[in-house]
Amino acid sequence: VNCRVLAGIPSNPMVEVSLRSSRLEGDLDSDEIPEAKEMVQAFVVDTNKKGCFVRLSRQVEGRVILKELCDGFLHDPAASYPMGRLVVGKIKSVNDSSKSKKKNHAVKTAVDIDMRESVLLESKDKIQLEDVKVGIKHKGSVTRIESYGVFVRLENSNVSGLVHKSECSDSYVKNLEDLYDPGDLVKVLVVKVDMEQKRVGLSMKASHFKDDDDSDEESSIGSSMDAEDLDNDDDASSSGEDDAEMPDAVESNDSEDSLDSEDENYASKLAAKMQAEDADNDSSKEGSEDSDDDDSDDESSDDDDSEEEEPPKADLMDTDVGFDWGVGASSGATKGGNNDDSSSSSDDDSDDDDDEEAGKSGHKSRRKAAARRREEQEITRRETALADGTADENPETAADFERLLASDPNRSEHWIRYMAYHLSLADIQSARSVAERAFDRIEFRQEGEKLNVWTALLTLELKYGSKESLQETVDRACQHNNPKQVYLRVCEMLDKEVDASSSSGESVERADEMFKKMCKKFKSKKSVWIAHLQYLIKGGRHHEAHALLKRSLKSLPEYKHVETMSKFSQMEFEFGSPERGRTIFDGLLEKYPKRLDLLFVYVDKEIKNGEIDAARGLFEKTVQHKKKLSDKQMKSLFKKWYRIEETDGTDESREHVKNAARAYVERSSK
């Protein structure tokens, strides 16, 4: 190949050469150094996990950091930008690197480059926070709506500002979400800039943009009204009958727009508008219920609707005119006191018919427009919920639940909520089907999650099934789960049912049968006996509970007797007689004087029962007991005693504890 030698490298046998045709023709001038914000081309020299190095010319080298390689995420930057690839970027800054410490380094200039497509396609520089000045008007888009204001991002910038609720409109705005939606294009005025906290205050009051020729106030604030006009236009173009509806629709929009202006009678007009809307809603509901009535009833109801929509009069708020929807139109007319004028009214039938037709068509148009607006609002709400993820937090349809279960099938909460959704629709069989699907979809390792779904199915059978279906479900659940846990949960549900039904005979009988069956099936497990004892004591059946305690002590191993009796005495403190509880605890402590766990439980129950003196007596008795405790146990005892005195005692009682501890230390050291 033909090449031209450009320069030699000192202390190195290599030389720099060029294959460019311009160099071969004799052009040896160095390439110009690019300037900031200039578009350049370069070849990739090296790429690593931190970014990319490129060569623009013989003496200019560039660096691109990882986040500025592209707009998206790069899993493997080296594969996307291999050595030798031609790339395009925009110069961010130019640095002189001629004083580099590297020897034989021909590069004299280093530049920082941005290769993101969004930066390359920018038509102009973005507005920075420093460019935002008070009193300047900007266009922007709504990004978020809160109760206290609206957040707006300025056009061609990443700067966002807050439009406080008081700056959103010249008049009072009760709910900002009724006026604005995310993505709305608006016009704002900068009223405050805080450079230290990087905050911008904006205003969207219409009074700030009165003199602007290109004001977007109508598009930003009256978007809902424009939508209503478009709906009415579609109605008018779809059929010839709706051509007569347009004047009414325009008139209603004008009346709504007038409420946004500053008017002395704004409050009275707003009340009149709200009253008219209430009257329309009432009439539309009544009309839908009586759609099968005769034609005379329909005409009379339309007359009432058109009369209620007329401008408000002195007695506007009194909407109870005594009209009875179950009576014919003739009886309604007699209440108005016009029987004597029947002849004169018959002469004006043609005029009345025209008014009725106009009112009827206008009412139908408004009702259609309102239905369309509600449908569009519901669609918008659903789309927003799907976009921001709140649809998964509060699923409302079967599709929402199916999508949620597809993403996380091992979570029992989703399946149980899906079952509750079907139960709210009175579809019990579908709820059972969801539970069966959950048993197949949840992994076999997730035993706790499966048990939760089984518990939900047992609750369903207990409430909506029969005695046979409940027992069948219990047997199936025992085959797939720990049988003792299944019976404990079923008995817990039956116990709650007894409490809710005020101890009705049928529920008590069913609960007794299940508890007895559980104790017979798991007679060596103390938890089932304790659950049965608690059920009896809560129900006030103390004699049966004591008899059951004796049976449990015969069935349980001896090492489980202490805990069972301790639990029973605690139940006596809570639901039965504290005296019986004290008797059991005293017997246990007499037999096991070194069991501090029993002593501390006994003390806690006395304090909860309000007997602080009895708790002090227990500590005194233990300290003076003949059988000495270990030093470690005595330390725990004195700490527990002192904590109790700090909470419920006095200075004298706390000092008494300290003296008792000192006396014990002195006795022990001798």
Side-chain angles (χ1 to χ4, degrees), residues 10 38 80 134 161 243 287 305 319 322 363 403 447 456 468 470 504 510 625:
E38 183 179 345
S80 301
V134 176
D243 290 341
D305 292 338
T319 58
H363 178 65
R403 183 180 63 256
E447 296 179 357
E468 292 75 14
L470 174 62
S504 64
R510 182 162 57 173
H625 201 276

Side-chain angles (χ1 to χ4, degrees), residues 554-568:
K554 293 179 181 179
S555 301
L556 292 172
E558 188 175 355
Y559 70 91
K560 295 183 179 181
H561 289 182
V562 177
E563 187 174 354
T564 304
M565 296 181 68
S566 174
K567 291 287 186 182
F568 183 75

Side-chain angles (χ1 to χ4, degrees), residues 295-508:
D295 296 338
S296 61
D297 289 336
D298 292 338
E299 293 176 358
S300 62
S301 64
D302 292 334
D303 287 339
D304 293 337
D305 292 338
S306 60
E307 290 174 1
E308 290 175 359
E309 293 168 2
E310 292 179 359
K313 298 182 180 179
D315 297 333
L316 178 65
M317 301 301 291
D318 187 10
T319 58
D320 187 7
V321 295
F323 191 86
D324 188 1
W325 290 97
V327 185
S330 60
S331 62
T334 57
K335 292 184 179 182
N338 295 329
N339 291 334
D340 297 336
D341 298 334
S342 58
S343 59
S344 60
S345 61
S346 61
D347 297 335
D348 300 332
D349 283 343
S350 58
D351 295 337
D352 293 341
D353 292 340
D354 294 340
D355 294 340
E356 289 173 2
E357 290 298 329
K360 186 175 182 179
S361 61
H363 178 65
K364 291 169 66 178
S365 174
R366 285 190 296 274
R367 193 160 53 189
K368 291 179 181 178
R372 273 192 296 271
R373 285 197 301 275
R374 287 193 296 270
E375 183 179 359
E376 290 173 359
Q377 290 174 357
E378 179 63 21
I379 293 173
T380 302
R381 187 184 66 81
R382 293 290 303 157
E383 291 176 346
T384 304
L386 290 172
D388 59 18
T390 56
D392 293 341
E393 298 176 1
N394 300 302
E396 299 177 356
T397 63
D400 291 343
F401 282 104
E402 293 292 347
R403 183 180 63 256
L404 197 60
L405 294 173
S407 62
D408 190 4
N410 292 326
R411 191 170 179 182
S412 59
E413 180 185 357
H414 299 335
W415 294 101
I416 295 172
R417 292 173 66 185
Y418 198 8
M419 293 173 64
Y421 166 75
H422 285 297
L423 289 178
S424 66
L425 302 177
D427 193 353
I428 300 174
Q429 190 58 41
S430 297
R432 292 192 179 104
S433 302
V434 170
E436 297 296 337
R437 286 177 54 198
F439 302 145
D440 295 334
R441 293 285 301 279
I442 298 177
E443 294 181 358
F444 68 92
R445 297 184 183 88
Q446 306 290 337
E447 296 179 357
E449 301 295 331
K450 279 194 172 185
L451 181 57
N452 292 336
V453 180
W454 276 109
T455 304
L457 182 59
L458 289 169
T459 305
L460 184 148
E461 296 296 343
L462 178 63
K463 190 171 183 180
Y464 301 104
S466 61
K467 184 177 180 180
E468 292 75 14
S469 63
L470 174 62
Q471 187 58 47
E472 181 183 355
T473 307
V474 170
D475 295 338
R476 287 181 55 209
C478 290
Q479 295 174 2
H480 296 86
N481 302 276
N482 185 344
K484 185 185 75 171
Q485 295 296 329
V486 173
Y487 270 93
L488 283 174
R489 295 203 178 190
V490 173
C491 291
E492 182 182 358
M493 290 185 289
L494 290 171
D495 188 7
K496 292 181 179 179
E497 184 186 29
V498 171
D499 294 340
S501 61
S502 300
S503 301
S504 64
E506 183 179 356
S507 59
V508 171

Side-chain angles (χ1 to χ4, degrees), residues 15 24 45 60 81 86 109 139 227 481 553 561 563 584 612 660:
V15 295
L24 295 175
V45 176
V60 181
Y81 295 94
L86 179 65
T109 305
K139 293 182 180 180
N481 302 276
L553 296 179
H561 289 182
E563 187 174 354
I584 298 174
I612 185 67

Side-chain angles (χ1 to χ4, degrees), residues 11-190:
S11 304
N12 197 318
M14 299 176 60
V15 295
E16 294 185 10
V17 299
S18 175
L19 300 177
R20 288 166 51 179
S21 58
S22 59
R23 300 297 191 195
L24 295 175
E25 293 173 359
D27 183 9
L28 301 179
D29 296 333
S30 299
D31 294 327
E32 295 181 358
I33 298 175
E35 297 179 355
K37 301 181 181 180
E38 183 179 345
M39 302 284 289
V40 295
Q41 291 182 334
F43 289 95
V44 176
V45 176
D46 183 32
T47 306
N48 54 36
K49 61 181 181 180
K50 294 184 178 180
C52 179
F53 290 93
V54 298
R55 180 66 65 85
L56 284 72
S57 65
R58 176 168 166 256
Q59 296 181 339
V60 181
E61 191 176 67
R63 180 190 66 175
V64 187
I65 61 178
L66 183 61
K67 69 178 183 179
E68 295 177 349
L69 282 174
C70 68
D71 292 310
F73 172 73
L74 284 178
H75 180 70
D76 189 1
S80 301
Y81 295 94
M83 181 185 297
R85 177 178 175 180
L86 179 65
V87 295
V88 180
K90 178 181 285 190
I91 302 295
K92 292 175 55 183
S93 61
V94 180
N95 305 312
D96 186 7
S97 62
S98 59
K99 299 181 180 180
S100 175
K101 295 182 180 180
K102 293 183 180 180
K103 296 181 179 180
N104 303 327
H105 201 284
V107 176
K108 295 182 180 180
T109 305
V111 296
D112 291 327
I113 302 176
D114 194 333
M115 296 196 312
R116 290 177 294 182
E117 184 178 0
S118 59
V119 175
L120 299 178
L121 297 179
E122 284 181 354
S123 59
K124 56 183 179 179
D125 297 335
K126 286 189 175 182
I127 299 175
Q128 303 298 327
L129 180 61
E130 294 77 10
D131 302 329
V132 179
K133 305 296 181 183
V134 176
I136 303 300
K137 299 175 183 178
H138 295 272
K139 293 182 180 180
S141 59
V142 176
T143 58
R144 197 166 87 245
I145 302 171
E146 301 291 347
S147 59
Y148 51 82
V150 179
F151 288 91
V152 177
R153 177 181 290 127
L154 301 185
E155 189 178 46
N156 190 35
S157 75
N158 292 325
V159 179
S160 294
L162 171 64
V163 184
H164 192 265
K165 189 174 182 179
S166 60
E167 295 290 340
C168 290
S169 176
D170 291 314
S171 56
Y172 173 72
V173 179
K174 184 177 181 181
N175 189 1
L176 293 175
E177 293 183 353
D178 294 340
L179 291 180
Y180 305 102
D181 290 313
D184 287 350
L185 299 178
V186 295
K187 215 172 182 186
V188 294
L189 174 70
V190 180

